[in-house]
Amino acid sequence: MKQITIINGPNLNLLGKREPEIYGGMTFEDYFQKLTAKYQNLELTYFQSNIEGELIDKLHEVGFKGDGIILNAAAYTHTSVGIGDAVKAIETPVIEVHISNVYAREEFRHHSYVSPNASGIIIGMGLKGYELAIDSLIDA
Ligand code: DQA
């Protein structure tokens, strides 16, 4: 059974309430239930933190096992050398996901410390982006 970990960064615990015109009206917990129902043949794990160091610790924990990591580092994408270095340091492939099209938004969202070391990037497809990432890891 393939093992895939979804890691979400800061403020993504507020999905459903936060700027629904950008991020939609569904909580990630509800979406994750949908994912586990759809991908019953996968061991899917979900972790969210608003704390940079906890995200780095989780990348270290799962980064040498399993079949893939789906990382939405949220605002830390654009600021965190530490998360970028962690993605570079680990061995498990990382797919970077952003719910919104960051390139259609403020310029500070156009730079990512994650992208140079990600196996792939899915941007602007809404929550569906996580499914696209899972599908790409299943086929890998
Ligand atoms: C985000 C985009 C980031 O710029 C933002 O800070 C987020 C969410 C996205 O999924 O669209 O928190 O990563």
Side-chain angles (χ1 to χ4, degrees):
M1 193 181 255
K2 285 204 170 182
Q3 295 178 324
I4 294 174
T5 306
I6 298 174
I7 302 178
N8 275 346
N11 302 306
L12 292 173
N13 55 310
L14 294 182
L15 283 180
K17 293 186 198 143
R18 173 193 184 199
E19 298 176 273
E21 65 289 355
I22 296 177
Y23 298 111
M26 194 179 229
T27 68
F28 201 83
E29 285 68 24
D30 284 350
Y31 180 65
F32 188 68
Q33 270 190 12
K34 214 183 112 180
L35 286 181
T36 48
K38 178 171 175 183
Y39 296 101
Q40 288 182 17
N41 56 340
L42 288 181
E43 199 179 312
L44 272 182
T45 312
Y46 165 53
F47 176 81
Q48 189 276 333
S49 177
N50 295 319
I51 300 166
E52 188 175 11
E54 286 186 1
L55 296 165
I56 293 171
D57 283 346
K58 180 54 78 174
L59 286 165
H60 293 178
E61 183 194 318
V62 297
F64 296 91
K65 59 184 184 192
D67 301 285
I69 296 169
I70 298 170
L71 175 63
N72 185 347
Y76 287 140
T77 307
H78 318 300
T79 62
S80 177
V81 175
I83 289 177
D85 280 354
V87 171
K88 189 169 188 180
I90 62 178
E91 289 170 359
T92 310
V94 172
I95 310 288
E96 177 180 0
V97 167
H98 297 286
I99 298 164
S100 65
N101 178 0
V102 286
Y103 293 103
R105 301 179 65 192
E106 303 95 321
E107 193 150 348
F108 68 84
R109 296 185 203 276
H110 299 183
H111 179 262
S112 166
Y113 283 101
V114 174
S115 299
N117 298 299
S119 308
I121 306 168
I122 298 168
I123 290 175
M125 306 304 286
L127 288 174
K128 179 87 185 163
Y130 290 89
E131 277 164 83
L132 298 173
I134 292 171
D135 290 344
S136 75
L137 288 166
I138 291 174
D139 293 344

